[in-house]
Amino acid sequence: MPDVSPTKWHLAHTSWFFETFVLTPHADGFRRFDENYGYLFNSYYEAVGDRWPRLARGLLSRPSLDQILAYRAHVDHALGAFIADAPDDVWDRASGLIELGLHHEQQHQELILMDIKHVLSVSPLNPAYDPSMRPGPHLQSKLDWARLPGGLLDIGHDGNGFAFDNEGPRHKVWLDPFGIAARPASCGDFLAFIEDGGYHRPELWLSDGWAAVQQNGWDAPLYWREPHSSGAREIFTLAGLRPINPAEPVCHVSFFEADAFARWSGKRLPTEAEWETAACAGELGQTGEVWEWTASAYGPYPRYRPPPGAVGEYNGKFMSGQMVLRGGCAATPDDHIRTTYRNFFPPTARWAFSGFRLADDA
Amino acid sequence: MPDVSPTKWHLAHTSWFFETFVLTPHADGFRRFDENYGYLFNSYYEAVGDRWPRLARGLLSRPSLDQILAYRAHVDHALGAFIADAPDDVWDRASGLIELGLHHEQQHQELILMDIKHVLSVSPLNPAYDPSMRPGPHLQSKLDWARLPGGLLDIGHDGNGFAFDNEGPRHKVWLDPFGIAARPASCGDFLAFIEDGGYHRPELWLSDGWAAVQQNGWDAPLYWREPHSSGAREIFTLAGLRPINPAEPVCHVSFFEADAFARWSGKRLPTEAEWETAACAGELGQTGEVWEWTASAYGPYPRYRPPPGAVGEYNGKFMSGQMVLRGGCAATPDDHIRTTYRNFFPPTARWAFSGFRLADDA
Amino acid sequence: MPDVSPTKWHLAHTSWFFETFVLTPHADGFRRFDENYGYLFNSYYEAVGDRWPRLARGLLSRPSLDQILAYRAHVDHALGAFIADAPDDVWDRASGLIELGLHHEQQHQELILMDIKHVLSVSPLNPAYDPSMRPGPHLQSKLDWARLPGGLLDIGHDGNGFAFDNEGPRHKVWLDPFGIAARPASCGDFLAFIEDGGYHRPELWLSDGWAAVQQNGWDAPLYWREPHSSGAREIFTLAGLRPINPAEPVCHVSFFEADAFARWSGKRLPTEAEWETAACAGELGQTGEVWEWTASAYGPYPRYRPPPGAVGEYNGKFMSGQMVLRGGCAATPDDHIRTTYRNFFPPTARWAFSGFRLADDA
Amino acid sequence: MPDVSPTKWHLAHTSWFFETFVLTPHADGFRRFDENYGYLFNSYYEAVGDRWPRLARGLLSRPSLDQILAYRAHVDHALGAFIADAPDDVWDRASGLIELGLHHEQQHQELILMDIKHVLSVSPLNPAYDPSMRPGPHLQSKLDWARLPGGLLDIGHDGNGFAFDNEGPRHKVWLDPFGIAARPASCGDFLAFIEDGGYHRPELWLSDGWAAVQQNGWDAPLYWREPHSSGAREIFTLAGLRPINPAEPVCHVSFFEADAFARWSGKRLPTEAEWETAACAGELGQTGEVWEWTASAYGPYPRYRPPPGAVGEYNGKFMSGQMVLRGGCAATPDDHIRTTYRNFFPPTARWAFSGFRLADDA
């Protein structure tokens, strides 16, 4: 899977971020741990030089894990000293970058679990990452709906507290009245879609989605194993294989699968503006277990401008070919979740902890 | 080029549309010309059966052109008789499909020229399709701007007269005040971008766009030939090779190139709502020579529902992974152009007659 | 199919051969028909310049067939005049090249039929090239064997009369006593292999052959259609679809299929030295309908040297990755067949008229 | 690099061989370590079941190295007990398989070093496997030639002592008189080829070889680094980067590069029969540092039959698409080298320790 990186790469990359954007430009007398690491652990910042190809990350037998832990210790130590000792003017320039680096590291905490799950899942041994991990919440069986009046509203981050650049500027949108489900779609809901032939009915799918079904042989969410002859199904989790639970949120579906399910239901996915409006109004139930696909293509908000320099590459340059997800998942650090947060993945991606909830017109 | 079809395929496909959606279901006693043609000339309608793969269209040595012309005559004759003789209740059901078929054929009139141009362009002989074709309009050298106040506006087709399903429903949008250029970008404008290293500066490009530049070796619009040692450039047209004209609209650029040019200019592309608003206000100059890329991902308008049955596949199922273009081009039939018309192509497509104009914030 | 070229390409390429190797260097005052044709119609001669990519041959809408026929007339006329008028010393240098050009054109006469058959075969209309073409010979049902004593023998062309460079030098080989079948394998023989699960038993296949079976989904020779529910099979031929005839030679099999069949039979394929020895001894029955795969990788005979210059690229540079076929087929001009003739194709090729016969150890 | 496997895979696979072919069928009461290991560590034996795909070996994060070492200990212990206690009749059936398993493990000892070298080589850190490893032998600068008379000779293993099945049966071949170089080609020799434009002259290459040069951008042997601006070159070795030594044997060249060098030299590669004849006559100097490509496609000797059962897949099924190498290399265990030994790789392979020596006609 080309999108998956080894854990040790994540460990090094998050330290590289502090080294490159905070310590090297701002900390007097700081010495880079190894000049080659810039090349190895840059993920996609064109402005700071060439990069080791993403596909080749799995080939990196060197540096060893020990060397990478030493690298992290080197950066952590220097960062601690910098925080303690930075002159005020330097601090003013660097503190925002440190905050960004912390949020960046939180993102990678989630990515590490996504990637570990994928790597373990392809082993025929079905190894558990942590057998003690508990399954997700039980959803209500009945599907309740919230009704919202729409109108001329404001969405986006207002600038108080930390947010990524792509969450603003706050701006007006017009929304027609809409309904939104009080819980995400469940595994039981999705089983009904499968049993009704959902993966074999082209009229339910976007054209690119149907092509993805054919090309990849999709017939269930990622990590769902073929049903036993008895019809019972198992699902691969970070706690190993376990029987599927119809009451938990369906997870590891692509945007295309979420969209096809919605069409099959006679409903649709919410736009990100609808999602944010409902979340701010306290009308969204049982969020935080799975990211929720929206109907919105990921693009810039009106008057959005990326910040200057390399950190401007953080979000803005990915604004094509991806769909927005909202909410947060069980692997997302709690204080990393915001109602304005815009996560994004290509519409075929399934290795993120991605589910969805339904919406409809009033 | 997998997107290009032979002319004889277009000729057969447009007749197939009338045969399949009008004559077979509605015309008493109609006999299909050849049962195999349904398979061969279906472009993408899943609901009416299997299809000959798009990539294999170029392999179709049979049926011959003579057989396809006989097929068209058969369908035209039957359609003429049907229009003359259809009972009123049948006519009520079928007349909308005939109108759709005529607009469908107009779309293919443009596609045929797009495809012929591409096929001829790859021949080292640089053959002309029609040496008498005249070059496009001269644009003003100076770039004037229109200023629009925005506000809470309505866009989309209001249902009077023909429109494709994706042009409606008419709905409200909020627009901030914006500016829009009074003419499309010209070849001369684009030459300045090239000469300033535009194709070699990753900071100007979306991530997927930069990947497309690298992968395809783009260094100029499609059909621009390598400059001579003197620096003079030629461009391949339907009239054959001719010297580039800096005053004509730049054409055959991808969305990514349009977007990079806009970023280099310190501007941006207009959204489709901005474009339509400016067009309705009479503020758009020199449209109709090239389709104009917008900043909008192609998606459904609020409350959009595709019509039931196979014709519902006409537009709706392509609503992912594409960008909207507005306007019309020199190859578009005049009465096919509407201010609400939403053309769409993937952001890497360059063989359509696609240019762009700039926009900015007030 | 990347190996297939349009008929008009073959027509131009064979004239290009005479133009490039005979007329341009040897005929005083000869003028090339079009300077671009050298680029378009060179198949693989590196020494005479760049080439139009093989994969793009199907895209060549220009030059038209009329232009290519005019090209052939131009070259034919000039060649006729050259033959009539060439001074003796020029003739001495050029006559061998003319003879080579004629044999080259005979090869393409067969290739044209191979390619037309493939192009027609992919049409769902199953069009016939010539409905009057008659099926191949009936083979004897019983499989007789010839026994040959082997020993220290000479094989290869002795230099009397025309031969391609790769047929010589004549040289010694040692052969153990061997047996060789008195007829090629038949469709009936091959049906028994299929019905015994031949395409599903990896132990019968070379590793690369088994990979080709999996990758391409082979379950019968090329042009055999899926059996009807009755079990009856049809086969696509240049005369259109017709019922399979168990008594005719099996054709359009790859080397890997021939080899797997032989292993299944408890036999093997003959080496090319065995084949040639048996042919010279008059011990080979019913040759000339299908080319016969041998067990020999295509390589140079001892002391082989390609001729100097571009014509040295005719055969020698293909001496890796291919297997030798011997004999000739129904599409081979009669006077083009020789016992020393070495045809060659990659072991996966199936669009040539390729069958095989069995051999064994004494 | 899809041909490269992780070291821990090799460790497990060689134990799997003993478990599968010796202990499971022959050792009373033997219990497999883990039922899944058969699937994970089968390399290519179709007859013993499905296999983990080769390309996915690098993804195997589990079982861990500790588990694999426990697996090896389990198998080693059981094998020791079996050797000590096997009844005579069981021993008669199993002892040949144990011997085969030992030679198999010796082959993997070499493969492990080949694979480690490749994995380390792609790291920009240029890590050394063992900095204390010493460079290869110094070749004589002058190129001496041995002359051999040829004639009707016997080659192949005579059945005394261990040999792989593909080394026999011993059989007669006719050889014309030939010459063979008294040492392999050196890095200095190969530098002269490069400096004479060898990688840019298509007339020196087989057609498939030239395609490989273009496709892979070859311009020097594998592990040769781009020359410094001074012209000095470094080479990546298991001891890390070091300056190239013109007097050592050239290594990590493909068959195509060896063949092109030979053509450039006005010479050729020896056939495997010539190589073996010269080796048996004591006429080959400085063997054992690099495997030597021959001009012979890898195929079965006359009357060769693979042994029955799964071990019959050891060699025979690879007899297409590969070329024979003779000799042995610095990483080959000493007692694994035989004059009849037939190593084989595809003609594009470069990660083996492969060089060559020249031959010519008398």
Side-chain angles (χ1 to χ4, degrees):
Chain A
M1 235 286 274
D3 292 313
V4 165
S5 304
T7 299
K8 74 179 187 186
W9 187 89
H10 289 289
L11 293 175
H13 167 70
T14 47
S15 289
W16 168 88
F17 189 97
F18 286 112
E19 185 182 61
T20 303
F21 295 115
V22 178
L23 296 169
T24 302
H26 300 294
D28 249 11
F30 173 73
R31 284 192 44 230
R32 288 187 163 273
F33 185 76
D34 186 313
E35 290 300 323
N36 290 298
Y37 283 20
Y39 175 72
L40 286 172
F41 300 120
N42 179 357
S43 55
Y44 58 72
Y45 297 84
E46 303 276 357
V48 292
D50 286 343
R51 289 166 290 146
W52 181 247
R54 181 169 196 146
L55 272 162
R57 287 180 192 164
L59 297 176
L60 264 191
S61 64
R62 300 288 183 286
S64 66
L65 180 58
D66 283 351
Q67 290 170 300
I68 285 173
L69 293 176
Y71 176 43
R72 284 182 71 83
H74 174 82
V75 170
D76 286 357
H77 178 81
L79 194 65
F82 176 76
I83 290 171
D85 303 336
D88 283 359
D89 60 328
V90 174
W91 181 252
D92 288 347
R93 288 194 303 271
S95 61
L97 294 163
I98 293 173
E99 190 176 27
L100 181 63
L102 292 170
H103 285 270
H104 174 255
E105 185 140 345
Q106 285 185 311
Q107 290 184 306
H108 279 273
Q109 287 165 12
E110 180 174 332
L111 280 167
I112 285 174
L113 287 176
M114 283 165 56
D115 289 359
I116 286 175
K117 184 169 182 178
H118 193 273
V119 168
L120 296 179
S121 78
V122 297
S123 166
L125 304 177
N126 293 310
Y129 166 72
D130 177 357
S132 72
M133 287 179 88
R134 293 179 314 144
H138 274 52
L139 301 177
Q140 293 180 320
S141 173
K142 178 152 168 298
L143 184 57
D144 290 324
W145 288 78
R147 296 284 150 201
L148 287 110
L152 191 61
L153 305 163
D154 292 294
I155 70 161
H157 197 264
D158 63 7
N160 293 315
F162 177 82
F164 287 116
D165 59 355
N166 62 1
E167 299 175 42
R170 192 161 173 84
H171 62 284
K172 288 198 189 310
V173 293
W174 172 267
L175 291 184
D176 286 338
F178 66 99
I180 194 160
R183 63 162 176 80
S186 69
C187 286
D189 297 337
F190 209 83
L191 272 168
F193 169 75
I194 294 176
E195 286 162 9
D196 195 38
Y199 281 98
H200 302 284
R201 294 169 52 186
E203 73 273 17
L204 298 175
W205 296 78
L206 288 168
S207 181
D208 287 348
W210 184 244
V213 168
Q214 303 302 304
Q215 190 177 326
N216 302 304
W218 289 345
D219 57 8
L222 185 64
Y223 304 140
W224 288 32
R225 297 297 156 93
E226 285 297 299
H228 295 269
S229 52
S230 68
R233 271 187 188 269
E234 287 181 314
I235 189 168
F236 180 79
T237 74
L238 284 167
L241 273 190
R242 60 172 174 70
I244 205 168
N245 172 11
E248 75 184 332
V250 67
C251 191
H252 297 297
V253 291
S254 64
F255 166 79
F256 289 128
E257 287 159 298
D259 173 81
F261 178 93
R263 195 168 289 109
W264 171 79
S265 305
K267 305 291 183 185
R268 59 175 176 82
L269 299 178
T271 63
E272 62 170 324
E274 290 171 336
W275 197 99
E276 185 171 325
T277 299
C280 291
E283 296 283 7
L284 283 190
Q286 295 187 294
T287 59
E289 179 66 17
V290 292
W291 286 100
E292 302 183 14
W293 287 109
T294 71
S296 300
Y298 177 50
Y301 282 165
R303 297 170 190 267
Y304 165 77
R305 291 286 162 104
V311 295
E313 299 187 49
Y314 201 99
N315 281 307
K317 73 179 187 180
F318 299 108
M319 290 176 169
S320 74
Q322 316 216 43
M323 302 303 289
V324 173
L325 301 97
R326 291 298 195 105
C329 74
T332 314
D334 279 351
D335 60 359
H336 194 67
I337 293 182
R338 282 181 302 281
T339 53
T340 57
Y341 199 105
R342 307 174 79 200
N343 200 351
F344 51 89
F345 280 101
T348 52
R350 313 209 301 172
W351 100 114
F353 298 99
S354 51
F356 62 94
R357 78 176 62 219
L358 295 176
D360 66 8
D361 298 326
Chain B
M1 233 285 276
D3 292 313
V4 165
S5 303
T7 300
K8 73 180 188 185
W9 186 91
H10 289 289
L11 292 176
H13 167 70
T14 48
S15 289
W16 168 90
F17 189 97
F18 287 112
E19 184 182 61
T20 302
F21 295 115
V22 178
L23 296 170
T24 301
H26 299 296
D28 249 12
F30 173 74
R31 285 190 44 226
R32 287 185 164 276
F33 185 76
D34 186 312
E35 290 300 321
N36 290 298
Y37 283 21
Y39 175 71
L40 286 173
F41 299 120
N42 180 357
S43 55
Y44 57 73
Y45 297 84
E46 303 276 357
V48 292
D50 287 343
R51 288 165 292 144
W52 180 249
R54 182 170 196 143
L55 271 163
R57 287 180 193 165
L59 297 176
L60 265 190
S61 63
R62 301 288 185 284
S64 66
L65 180 58
D66 283 351
Q67 290 170 300
I68 285 174
L69 292 176
Y71 176 43
R72 284 181 72 82
H74 173 81
V75 171
D76 286 357
H77 178 81
L79 194 66
F82 176 76
I83 290 171
D85 303 335
D88 282 0
D89 59 327
V90 174
W91 181 251
D92 288 348
R93 291 194 299 273
S95 61
L97 293 163
I98 293 174
E99 190 177 25
L100 181 62
L102 292 171
H103 285 271
H104 174 255
E105 187 140 344
Q106 286 185 311
Q107 290 184 307
H108 279 272
Q109 288 164 13
E110 180 174 332
L111 280 166
I112 285 175
L113 287 176
M114 282 164 57
D115 289 0
I116 286 175
K117 185 169 181 177
H118 192 273
V119 168
L120 296 180
S121 78
V122 297
S123 166
L125 305 178
N126 293 311
Y129 166 71
D130 177 356
S132 71
M133 288 181 87
R134 294 178 314 145
H138 273 51
L139 302 176
Q140 294 181 319
S141 173
K142 178 155 170 293
L143 184 58
D144 290 325
W145 288 77
R147 295 283 150 202
L148 287 108
L152 190 62
L153 306 163
D154 292 294
I155 70 159
H157 197 263
D158 62 9
N160 292 314
F162 177 83
F164 287 116
D165 60 355
N166 63 0
E167 298 174 43
R170 193 160 172 84
H171 63 282
K172 289 196 189 312
V173 293
W174 172 267
L175 292 185
D176 286 339
F178 66 99
I180 193 160
R183 63 160 176 83
S186 69
C187 285
D189 296 338
F190 209 83
L191 272 167
F193 169 76
I194 294 175
E195 286 163 8
D196 196 38
Y199 282 98
H200 303 284
R201 293 168 54 185
E203 74 274 17
L204 298 176
W205 296 79
L206 288 168
S207 182
D208 288 347
W210 184 243
V213 168
Q214 302 303 304
Q215 190 176 326
N216 302 302
W218 289 345
D219 57 8
L222 185 63
Y223 305 141
W224 288 31
R225 298 298 158 91
E226 286 296 301
H228 295 269
S229 52
S230 68
R233 271 187 187 268
E234 287 181 313
I235 188 168
F236 180 79
T237 75
L238 286 166
L241 274 190
R242 59 174 175 68
I244 206 167
N245 172 11
E248 75 184 333
V250 66
C251 190
H252 298 295
V253 292
S254 64
F255 166 78
F256 289 127
E257 287 159 297
D259 173 80
F261 177 93
R263 194 167 292 108
W264 171 78
S265 305
K267 304 292 182 182
R268 58 175 176 83
L269 298 179
T271 64
E272 62 170 325
E274 291 171 336
W275 197 99
E276 185 172 324
T277 299
C280 291
E283 297 282 9
L284 284 190
Q286 297 188 294
T287 58
E289 179 66 16
V290 293
W291 286 100
E292 300 183 14
W293 287 108
T294 72
S296 299
Y298 177 50
Y301 281 165
R303 298 171 189 267
Y304 166 77
R305 290 286 161 105
V311 295
E313 299 186 50
Y314 202 99
N315 280 307
K317 73 179 186 180
F318 299 108
M319 288 174 171
S320 74
Q322 315 217 41
M323 301 304 288
V324 173
L325 301 97
R326 291 300 194 104
C329 74
T332 314
D334 278 351
D335 60 359
H336 193 68
I337 293 182
R338 281 182 300 283
T339 53
T340 57
Y341 199 107
R342 306 175 79 199
N343 201 352
F344 51 88
F345 280 100
T348 52
R350 314 208 300 170
W351 99 115
F353 298 98
S354 51
F356 62 93
R357 78 176 63 220
L358 295 176
D360 67 8
D361 299 327
Chain C
M1 233 285 276
D3 292 314
V4 166
S5 304
T7 300
K8 75 179 187 184
W9 187 90
H10 289 289
L11 292 175
H13 167 70
T14 48
S15 288
W16 169 89
F17 189 97
F18 286 113
E19 185 183 60
T20 304
F21 295 116
V22 178
L23 296 170
T24 301
H26 299 296
D28 249 11
F30 173 74
R31 285 191 44 228
R32 285 185 165 275
F33 184 76
D34 186 313
E35 289 302 320
N36 291 298
Y37 282 21
Y39 175 70
L40 285 173
F41 300 121
N42 179 359
S43 54
Y44 56 74
Y45 297 84
E46 304 275 358
V48 292
D50 287 343
R51 287 165 292 144
W52 180 249
R54 181 171 195 142
L55 272 162
R57 286 180 193 166
L59 297 175
L60 263 191
S61 63
R62 300 288 183 284
S64 66
L65 180 58
D66 282 351
Q67 291 170 300
I68 285 174
L69 293 176
Y71 177 42
R72 284 182 71 82
H74 173 81
V75 170
D76 285 358
H77 177 82
L79 195 67
F82 176 76
I83 291 172
D85 303 335
D88 283 2
D89 60 327
V90 174
W91 181 253
D92 288 348
R93 291 195 300 273
S95 61
L97 292 164
I98 294 174
E99 189 177 26
L100 181 62
L102 293 170
H103 285 271
H104 174 255
E105 186 141 345
Q106 285 186 311
Q107 290 184 307
H108 278 272
Q109 288 166 11
E110 180 174 333
L111 280 167
I112 286 175
L113 287 175
M114 284 165 56
D115 289 359
I116 287 176
K117 184 169 183 177
H118 192 272
V119 168
L120 295 180
S121 78
V122 297
S123 167
L125 305 177
N126 292 309
Y129 165 73
D130 177 357
S132 71
M133 287 181 86
R134 294 176 315 144
H138 273 51
L139 301 176
Q140 293 180 320
S141 172
K142 179 154 169 296
L143 184 58
D144 290 324
W145 288 78
R147 296 284 152 200
L148 286 109
L152 191 62
L153 305 163
D154 292 294
I155 70 160
H157 197 264
D158 62 8
N160 293 313
F162 177 81
F164 288 116
D165 59 354
N166 64 0
E167 299 174 42
R170 193 161 172 83
H171 62 283
K172 287 196 190 312
V173 293
W174 172 267
L175 292 184
D176 286 338
F178 67 99
I180 194 160
R183 62 162 177 82
S186 69
C187 286
D189 297 338
F190 209 82
L191 273 168
F193 168 76
I194 294 176
E195 286 163 8
D196 196 38
Y199 281 98
H200 303 283
R201 294 168 53 184
E203 72 274 17
L204 298 175
W205 296 78
L206 288 168
S207 181
D208 288 347
W210 184 244
V213 167
Q214 303 302 305
Q215 188 176 329
N216 302 302
W218 289 346
D219 57 8
L222 184 64
Y223 304 140
W224 288 33
R225 298 296 157 93
E226 285 297 299
H228 296 270
S229 53
S230 68
R233 270 186 188 269
E234 287 181 313
I235 187 169
F236 180 79
T237 74
L238 285 167
L241 274 191
R242 59 174 177 68
I244 205 168
N245 172 11
E248 74 184 333
V250 67
C251 191
H252 297 297
V253 292
S254 65
F255 167 79
F256 290 128
E257 288 160 295
D259 174 79
F261 177 94
R263 194 168 290 110
W264 172 78
S265 305
K267 304 292 182 182
R268 60 175 175 82
L269 298 178
T271 63
E272 61 170 326
E274 290 172 336
W275 197 99
E276 185 172 325
T277 299
C280 291
E283 296 283 8
L284 284 191
Q286 296 187 292
T287 59
E289 180 65 17
V290 292
W291 286 100
E292 301 183 12
W293 287 108
T294 72
S296 299
Y298 178 49
Y301 283 165
R303 297 170 189 269
Y304 165 77
R305 291 286 162 105
V311 296
E313 298 187 50
Y314 200 100
N315 281 305
K317 75 179 185 180
F318 299 107
M319 289 174 169
S320 74
Q322 316 218 43
M323 302 302 289
V324 173
L325 301 96
R326 291 298 193 104
C329 75
T332 315
D334 279 352
D335 60 359
H336 194 68
I337 293 181
R338 282 181 302 281
T339 52
T340 56
Y341 198 106
R342 307 175 79 198
N343 201 350
F344 50 89
F345 280 101
T348 52
R350 313 209 301 173
W351 99 113
F353 299 99
S354 51
F356 63 92
R357 77 177 62 221
L358 296 175
D360 67 8
D361 298 327
Chain D
M1 231 287 275
D3 292 314
V4 165
S5 304
T7 299
K8 74 180 187 185
W9 186 90
H10 288 290
L11 292 175
H13 167 69
T14 48
S15 289
W16 169 90
F17 189 98
F18 286 113
E19 185 183 59
T20 302
F21 295 116
V22 178
L23 296 170
T24 301
H26 299 295
D28 251 10
F30 173 74
R31 284 192 43 229
R32 285 185 165 276
F33 184 77
D34 185 314
E35 290 301 321
N36 290 299
Y37 283 21
Y39 175 72
L40 286 173
F41 300 120
N42 179 358
S43 54
Y44 57 73
Y45 296 83
E46 302 276 357
V48 293
D50 287 342
R51 287 165 291 144
W52 181 248
R54 181 170 197 144
L55 272 163
R57 287 178 193 166
L59 298 175
L60 265 189
S61 63
R62 301 287 185 285
S64 66
L65 180 58
D66 283 352
Q67 290 169 301
I68 285 174
L69 293 175
Y71 176 43
R72 285 182 70 82
H74 174 81
V75 170
D76 285 356
H77 178 81
L79 194 66
F82 177 76
I83 290 170
D85 303 335
D88 283 0
D89 59 329
V90 174
W91 181 252
D92 287 348
R93 289 195 301 273
S95 62
L97 293 162
I98 294 174
E99 190 177 25
L100 181 61
L102 293 170
H103 285 271
H104 174 254
E105 186 140 346
Q106 286 185 311
Q107 289 184 307
H108 279 272
Q109 288 165 11
E110 180 173 333
L111 279 167
I112 286 175
L113 287 176
M114 282 164 57
D115 289 0
I116 286 175
K117 184 169 182 178
H118 192 273
V119 169
L120 296 180
S121 77
V122 297
S123 166
L125 305 178
N126 293 310
Y129 166 73
D130 177 357
S132 72
M133 288 180 86
R134 294 177 313 144
H138 273 52
L139 301 176
Q140 293 181 321
S141 173
K142 179 155 169 296
L143 183 58
D144 290 324
W145 288 77
R147 296 285 152 199
L148 287 108
L152 190 61
L153 305 163
D154 293 294
I155 70 160
H157 197 263
D158 63 8
N160 293 314
F162 176 82
F164 288 117
D165 58 355
N166 63 0
E167 299 175 41
R170 193 161 172 83
H171 62 283
K172 285 195 190 314
V173 293
W174 173 268
L175 292 184
D176 285 339
F178 67 98
I180 194 160
R183 63 161 176 83
S186 69
C187 286
D189 297 337
F190 209 82
L191 272 168
F193 168 76
I194 294 175
E195 286 163 6
D196 196 38
Y199 281 98
H200 303 284
R201 294 168 52 185
E203 72 273 17
L204 298 176
W205 296 79
L206 288 168
S207 181
D208 287 348
W210 184 244
V213 167
Q214 302 302 304
Q215 189 176 327
N216 303 304
W218 290 345
D219 57 7
L222 185 64
Y223 304 140
W224 287 34
R225 298 297 157 94
E226 286 297 300
H228 295 268
S229 53
S230 67
R233 274 186 184 267
E234 286 180 314
I235 187 168
F236 181 79
T237 75
L238 285 166
L241 274 191
R242 58 172 175 70
I244 206 168
N245 172 11
E248 76 185 330
V250 66
C251 191
H252 297 297
V253 291
S254 64
F255 166 79
F256 289 128
E257 287 160 297
D259 173 80
F261 178 94
R263 193 167 291 108
W264 172 78
S265 306
K267 304 292 182 183
R268 60 176 175 82
L269 298 178
T271 64
E272 62 170 325
E274 290 172 337
W275 196 99
E276 184 172 326
T277 299
C280 291
E283 296 283 7
L284 286 190
Q286 295 187 293
T287 60
E289 180 64 18
V290 292
W291 286 99
E292 301 183 13
W293 288 107
T294 72
S296 299
Y298 178 49
Y301 282 165
R303 296 169 190 269
Y304 165 77
R305 292 286 162 104
V311 294
E313 298 187 50
Y314 201 100
N315 281 306
K317 74 178 185 180
F318 299 107
M319 289 174 170
S320 74
Q322 315 216 44
M323 302 302 289
V324 174
L325 301 96
R326 292 299 194 104
C329 74
T332 314
D334 278 351
D335 60 0
H336 194 67
I337 293 182
R338 283 181 300 283
T339 53
T340 58
Y341 199 105
R342 306 175 79 200
N343 201 350
F344 51 90
F345 279 100
T348 52
R350 313 208 301 172
W351 99 113
F353 299 99
S354 51
F356 62 92
R357 77 176 64 218
L358 296 175
D360 68 7
D361 299 325

